[in-house]
């Protein structure tokens, strides 16, 4: 940061930097003293009632009015009434005045005085300094004063000695407004310190006039980028954003006050902070509403492990609510939920083909000796035999009795958390299906006569359970395509919210949790701790940057901003964020003991080279957007758009710009020459597909005819019906032999004009029609090649 720039958290020390002789503190108004609760000024226009939305039309009218004023009068500054005369050319003065008043009312609704700037003004007055405002704005002085009074109160207005507005003087800061300030007040330039956020208007212009100035730098570069991308995410997930509704960002002011530069703290503070501050407020509103509906207190129970960070944030805001944590994993919920034969049948049907058989046996409380007889069978016989046995009379009776005993231990665990017979409880978790609630609500209602509700950060039920469930981000506010898109990346959010302990697999008789050993790395836990500390720091600080909260600070605004922040993190992560959780692992739970890498960058790169952009739409790894981040924003936007809108895009829709490759197909008896088109994938790679059927053919791709230097990425055989599958299960590795090609480095060859890549047939005769897939990258095109010339053109 340059010496002439100052960050918001440094404002308390600004007056100590003043050179001798300063008598007047001059402040810019918007984004220095008055901030807006939205992403950018034009968001305010979204609430103007015009057909199709007012943002574009209101902006067009302003540009048109400014152009007209300059053309006719060489005047660079306009008034808001001129904007509305351009927007409504047939309107009379009464209608224009009403439109101006309506916009000013919207400004008053979204504006707030930035507390550090207010404190600076107060400190300046204590020192005996004059305080003035100098603003480039399309309002008259009286209108700006009225806005200040409405947004910040009359006391602040009383501390302002003079207000200079470009609209009244018909000249802006860069065109001579500071000269008018000096003449009007009878001051010398060296008597004024000016502070504002615009580099040209608030630093260069006053410096030109001889005035000492600082630029207020609201955000560091990373925060500025995140906030812009959050606005983009808001518009992606909400069709009304910046059309009928502004893009709300009430958290901007608190983010501006962050002084810590640690990327982990910044991620927690700037991104998770707004999300879980909103979730805490939403949960408290739901808790109060349900308590009022039932006529008795509802006890909030945050579900560990993933409810750990939500609990920290909720407890920081509402310590009086008495929120507790309980350890009810999906694994223990599955055990306790086996209350009758119907529940057992449903659980077996749901999971028998989804988890390893030993893991399912653990869920059903079966011992190793009871599982041994099934695991001795041939693999295709194991699951049918297991299903039949566990649903039979003898084994099902044992399972249900053990589950009942397990329920007694779960009951003890809840009593240790302060839950009593007949209580109303609210299970709070990230979501997204509420599976734990589905499994334990019947047993808790049966054993303890509890009234059970579930409240989730994100709720997208796969079936309508009929239980008392709600989500902060749910179908009431977003369509199911959007909810589905968000759930695909929820594993990353889970890892940022969890606690550094193993999953609960049992309870002692007194309800003490029995946990699996945690295999997560110490580095992962340490990074997560810093992220969570940043999140809680935001929650504790939020609101302190407001001198007085804006009228638009309501729960709906907080939820929409939180949703956009999470959507941005999920689909448009920054490089710094990806670096933080690149080594993270995810615990699958359900008794599998399985850890999955959150990111697999190598596999993602390989998939892109093999399948191109189309491949990203059908990959089912943990956090694909983070894997794509290094390959550029267009891929992330493509994935986000496709998933959000449910677009039916296929591989051939992306097929363009191919290059023709001569190919020889030879058998023991004859050969044929073909010319096939290799289609581009990404980063200069091409995919050549050669049909070989079920015959024993040798393929020779004459890459030397198109390239002087070529990289061979991969070669494999694939069943034709699996050609468009993202993860084809029966890929057969192919051997390659370079002929007429000189190896320069592994997989990199200098090729003569007759250079060939020869691929023998697969070692095992094919049962289905096969195709050879060759992935290559021409590093240097052969001069004179028509395809290369066409591509270059």
């Amino acid at each position: 940061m340059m010496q002439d720039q100052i960050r918001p958290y440094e404002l308390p020390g600004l007056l100590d930097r003043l050179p001798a002789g300063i008598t007047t503190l001059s402040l810019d108004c918007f984004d220095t003293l008055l901030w807006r609760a939205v992403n950018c000024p034009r968001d305010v226009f979204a609430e103007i009632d015009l057909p199709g939305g007012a943002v574009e039309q209101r902006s067009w009218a302003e540009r048109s009015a400014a152009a007209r004023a300059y053309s006719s009068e060489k005047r660079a500054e306009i008034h808001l009434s001129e904007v509305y005369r351009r927007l409504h050319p047939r309107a009379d003065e009464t209608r224009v005045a009403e439109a101006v008043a309506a916009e000013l009312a919207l400004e008053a609704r979204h504006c707030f005085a930035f507390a550090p700037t207010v404190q600076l003004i107060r400190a300046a007055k204590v020192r005996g300094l004059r305080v003035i405002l100098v603003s480039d704005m399309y309002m008259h002085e009286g209108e700006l004063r009225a806005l200040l009074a409405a947004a910040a109160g009359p006391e602040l207005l009383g501390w302002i000695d003079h207000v200079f507005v470009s609209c009244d003087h018909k000249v802006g800061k860069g065109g001579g407004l500071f000269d008018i300030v000096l003449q009007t007040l009878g001051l010398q330039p060296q008597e004024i310190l000016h502070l504002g956020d615009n580099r040209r208007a608030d630093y260069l212009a006053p410096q030109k006039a001889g005035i000492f100035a600082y630029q207020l730098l609201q955000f560091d570069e990373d925060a500025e980028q995140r906030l812009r991308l959050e606005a983009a995410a808001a518009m992606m997930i909400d069709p009304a954003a910046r059309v009928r509704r502004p893009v709300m960002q009430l958290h901007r002011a608190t983010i501006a006050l962050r002084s810590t530069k640690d990327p982990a703290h910044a991620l927690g503070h700037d991104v998770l902070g707004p999300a879980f501050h909103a979730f805490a407020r939403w949960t408290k509103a739901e808790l109060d509403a349900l308590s009022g509906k039932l006529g008795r207190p509802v006890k909030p129970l945050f579900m560990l492990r993933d409810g750990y960070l939500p609990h920290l944030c909720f407890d920081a805001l509402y310590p009086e609510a008495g929120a507790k944590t309980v350890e009810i994993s999906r694994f223990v919920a599955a055990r306790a939920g086996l209350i009758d034969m119907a529940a057992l049948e449903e659980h077996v049907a749901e999971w028998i083909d989804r988890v390893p058989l030993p893991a399912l046996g653990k869920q059903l409380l079966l011992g190793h000796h009871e599982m041994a007889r099934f695991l001795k069978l041939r693999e295709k016989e194991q699951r049918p035999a297991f299903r039949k046995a566990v649903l039979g009379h003898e084994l099902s009776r044992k399972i249900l009795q053990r589950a009942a005993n397990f329920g007694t231990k779960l009951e003890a665990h809840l009593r240790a958390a302060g839950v009593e017979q007949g209580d109303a409880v609210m299970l709070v978790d990230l979501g997204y299906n509420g599976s734990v609630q589905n499994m334990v609500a019947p047993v808790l209602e049966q054993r303890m006569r509890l009234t059970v509700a579930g409240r989730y950060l994100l709720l997208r039920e796969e079936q309508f359970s009929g239980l008392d469930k709600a989500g902060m981000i749910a179908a009431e506010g977003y369509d199911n395509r959007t909810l589905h898109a968000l759930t695909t990346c929820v594993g990353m959010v889970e890892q940022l919210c969890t606690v550094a302990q193993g999953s609960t697999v049992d309870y002692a008789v007194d309800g003490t949790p029995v946990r699996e050993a945690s295999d997560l790395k110490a580095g992962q836990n340490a990074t997560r701790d810093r992220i969570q500390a940043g999140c809680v720091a935001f929650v504790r600080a939020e609101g302190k940057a407001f001198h007085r909260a804006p009228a638009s600070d309501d729960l709906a605004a907080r939820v929409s901003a939180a949703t956009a922040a999470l959507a941005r993190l999920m689909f448009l992560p920054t490089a710094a964020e990806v670096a933080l959780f690149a080594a993270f692992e995810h615990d699958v739970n359900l008794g599998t003991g399985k850890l999955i890498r959150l990111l697999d960058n190598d596999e993602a790169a390989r998939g892109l080279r093999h399948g191109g952009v189309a491949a990203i739409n059908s990959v089912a790894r943990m956090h694909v957007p983070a894997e794509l981040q290094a390959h550029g924003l267009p891929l992330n936007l493509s994935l986000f758009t496709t998933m959000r809108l449910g677009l039916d895009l296929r591989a051939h829709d992306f097929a363009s710009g191919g290059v023709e490759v001569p190919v020889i197909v030879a058998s023991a008896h004859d050969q044929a020459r073909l010319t096939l088109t290799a289609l581009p994938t990404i980063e200069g790679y091409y995919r050549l597909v050669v049909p070989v059927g079920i015959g024993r053919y040798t393929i020779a791709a004459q890459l030397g005819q198109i390239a002087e230097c070529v990289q061979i990425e991969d070669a494999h055989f694939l069943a034709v019906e699996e050609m468009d599958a993202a993860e084809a299960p029966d890929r057969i590795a192919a051997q390659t032999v370079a002929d007429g090609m000189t190896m320069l480095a592994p997989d990199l060859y200098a090729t003569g004009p007759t250079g060939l890549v020869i691929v023998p047939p697969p070692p095992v005769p094919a049962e289905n029609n096969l195709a050879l897939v060759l992935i290559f990258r021409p590093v240097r095109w052969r001069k004179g090649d028509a395809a290369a010339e066409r591509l270059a053109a």
Side-chain angles (χ1 to χ4, degrees), residues 345-563:
E345 291 174 349
E346 175 62 27
H347 188 82
V348 171
E350 176 73 15
W351 294 103
I352 193 166
D353 295 318
R354 296 175 60 185
V355 297
L357 208 57
L360 183 56
K362 289 180 183 179
Q363 293 174 25
L364 300 182
L365 300 108
L366 297 177
H368 293 294
H369 65 287
E370 292 170 313
M371 290 297 299
R373 58 172 166 146
F374 305 112
L375 300 179
K376 290 178 182 178
L377 299 173
R378 291 186 301 175
E379 185 174 349
K380 66 179 181 180
E381 297 174 348
Q382 289 178 2
R383 294 180 190 275
F386 180 83
R387 184 198 304 267
K388 182 178 180 180
V390 297
L391 298 181
H393 175 72
E394 179 181 354
L395 205 49
S396 66
R397 180 175 54 83
K398 292 180 181 180
I399 292 171
L400 294 178
Q401 182 56 55
R402 293 169 188 173
N405 296 337
F406 192 89
T408 301
K409 294 188 288 184
L410 172 60
E411 185 176 343
H413 177 66
L414 291 177
R415 291 192 185 280
V419 179
E420 302 294 339
Q421 200 81 4
D423 275 348
V425 298
M426 179 178 286
L427 306 179
V428 184
D429 202 354
L430 298 184
Y432 53 95
N433 188 52
S435 300
V436 169
Q437 183 183 354
N438 293 348
M439 292 185 279
V440 301
V443 68
L444 298 182
E445 292 166 357
Q446 182 185 90
R447 298 183 69 99
M448 300 182 71
R449 301 197 312 278
L450 299 185
T451 300
V452 181
R455 296 296 182 265
Y456 303 96
L457 176 75
L458 172 62
L459 180 64
R460 189 218 68 188
E461 282 196 284
E462 295 175 359
Q463 297 88 31
F464 295 108
S465 65
L467 301 178
D468 184 351
K469 292 182 184 179
M472 184 182 82
I473 307 170
E476 288 75 16
Y478 299 92
D479 62 71
N480 283 318
R481 285 197 303 263
T482 301
L483 297 176
H484 173 69
L486 296 178
T487 60
T488 61
C489 299
V490 77
M492 179 269 296
V493 179
E494 290 172 353
Q495 279 309 309
L496 299 181
C497 291
T498 194
V499 64
Q501 64 187 37
S503 179
T504 302
V505 295
D506 202 347
Y507 303 102
V509 174
D510 65 354
T512 302
V514 177
R515 308 183 186 109
E516 287 182 322
S518 176
D519 293 327
L520 296 180
K521 300 172 183 176
Q524 176 170 334
N525 293 333
T527 299
R528 185 177 54 242
D529 288 345
R530 286 154 47 214
I531 292 170
Q532 292 179 351
C535 178
V536 175
F538 176 94
V539 170
R540 294 188 184 279
E542 177 62 348
K544 295 180 181 178
F546 297 152
H547 175 65
R548 193 168 75 185
S552 58
D553 184 3
D554 57 25
L555 186 55
R558 291 285 181 173
V559 168
S560 68
T563 307

Side-chain angles (χ1 to χ4, degrees), residues 5 37 170 281 315:
Q5 293 176 328
K170 297 181 174 56
R281 284 184 55 171
D315 201 49

Side-chain angles (χ1 to χ4, degrees), residues 513-777:
V514 177
R515 308 183 186 109
E516 287 182 322
S518 176
D519 293 327
L520 296 180
K521 300 172 183 176
Q524 176 170 334
N525 293 333
T527 299
R528 185 177 54 242
D529 288 345
R530 286 154 47 214
I531 292 170
Q532 292 179 351
C535 178
V536 175
F538 176 94
V539 170
R540 294 188 184 279
E542 177 62 348
K544 295 180 181 178
F546 297 152
H547 175 65
R548 193 168 75 185
S552 58
D553 184 3
D554 57 25
L555 186 55
R558 291 285 181 173
V559 168
S560 68
T563 307
L566 288 174
R568 197 282 311 162
L569 177 62
M570 290 177 175
F571 283 96
L572 305 174
T574 66
E577 291 165 346
V578 172
L580 284 173
F581 44 77
F584 273 29
E585 293 179 321
H586 179 72
D587 183 354
V588 175
N589 198 353
L590 287 169
T592 64
K594 186 177 182 181
L595 293 176
I596 297 177
R597 289 176 60 186
L598 196 62
L599 306 184
D600 192 338
N601 294 324
D602 292 340
E603 183 63 20
R606 187 197 66 80
L608 287 169
R609 291 194 293 267
H610 284 222
V613 177
I616 67 177
N617 295 321
S618 53
V619 174
R621 287 191 299 275
M622 290 296 298
H623 195 198
V624 175
E627 296 173 345
L628 297 178
Q629 192 278 333
H631 298 275
L633 186 60
L635 289 184
N636 288 85
L637 288 173
S638 176
L639 177 63
F640 195 2
T641 304
T642 302
M643 296 194 69
R644 159 66 184 89
L645 299 176
L647 303 180
D648 183 14
L649 299 180
R650 306 181 185 185
H652 65 268
D653 297 324
F654 296 87
S656 62
V659 58
E660 294 182 345
V661 179
V663 175
I664 300 172
V665 181
S667 69
H669 308 290
D670 58 7
Q671 66 179 30
R673 294 179 178 271
L674 308 172
T675 298
L676 301 176
T677 301
L679 295 175
T681 57
I682 194 171
E683 297 171 351
Y685 285 91
Y686 285 78
R687 184 185 196 223
L688 176 66
V689 178
V690 184
V692 296
I694 59 174
R696 304 291 290 168
Y697 296 104
T698 296
I699 308 299
Q702 297 179 279
L703 298 184
Q705 289 198 18
I706 66 169
E708 296 178 0
C709 183
V710 66
Q711 181 177 357
I712 308 300
E713 163 71 14
D714 186 68
H716 59 268
F717 292 98
L718 204 58
V720 171
E721 61 267 23
E722 296 174 353
M723 287 299 300
D724 291 326
E727 302 293 336
D730 297 321
R731 183 173 290 163
I732 304 169
Q735 295 181 342
T736 59
V737 178
D739 184 89
M741 302 167 64
T742 303
M743 180 180 289
L744 303 176
D747 302 328
L748 182 66
Y749 299 88
T751 60
T754 60
L756 303 170
V757 174
I758 302 172
V759 182
V764 179
E767 296 180 0
N768 301 310
N769 287 327
L770 296 181
L772 169 68
V773 179
L774 180 65
I775 309 298
F776 66 95
R777 176 164 61 174

Side-chain angles (χ1 to χ4, degrees), residues 292-363:
K293 178 181 177 181
L294 298 177
R296 55 194 172 112
V298 177
K299 295 181 177 180
L301 303 176
F302 284 75
M303 310 279 282
L304 298 187
R305 293 175 296 171
D306 299 342
Y308 177 73
L309 181 58
H311 174 255
L312 290 181
C313 297
F314 184 88
D315 201 49
L317 278 182
Y318 308 108
E320 75 286 353
K324 303 291 185 181
T325 59
V326 293
E327 298 189 32
I328 310 178
S329 65
R330 285 191 295 168
F331 180 75
V332 297
R335 287 182 157 187
L338 302 173
I339 60 175
D340 54 29
M341 195 63 196
L344 176 59
E345 291 174 349
E346 175 62 27
H347 188 82
V348 171
E350 176 73 15
W351 294 103
I352 193 166
D353 295 318
R354 296 175 60 185
V355 297
L357 208 57
L360 183 56
K362 289 180 183 179
Q363 293 174 25

Side-chain angles (χ1 to χ4, degrees), residues 165-244:
V165 187
S166 62
C167 170
D168 289 333
H169 297 281
K170 297 181 174 56
V171 64
K173 297 175 193 176
L177 183 57
F178 282 109
D179 293 331
I180 294 173
V181 171
L182 293 172
Q183 294 169 7
T184 302
L185 300 181
L187 295 173
Q188 295 300 310
Q190 60 269 24
E191 294 183 80
I192 299 180
L193 164 69
H194 181 74
L195 174 71
D197 69 293
N198 187 283
R199 182 74 180 169
R200 179 174 295 177
D202 295 310
Y203 177 73
L204 297 179
Q207 286 277 68
K208 183 179 179 182
I211 294 171
F212 188 63
Y214 275 101
Q215 179 191 4
L216 179 64
L217 198 65
Q218 291 176 293
F219 309 104
D220 60 41
E221 290 183 2
D222 289 342
E224 188 276 333
Q225 181 189 30
R226 282 194 293 264
L227 290 167
R228 281 192 299 101
L229 293 178
E230 278 180 27
M235 297 170 70
M236 288 285 290
I237 62 178
D238 179 7
R242 204 167 278 167
V243 179
R244 297 290 184 189

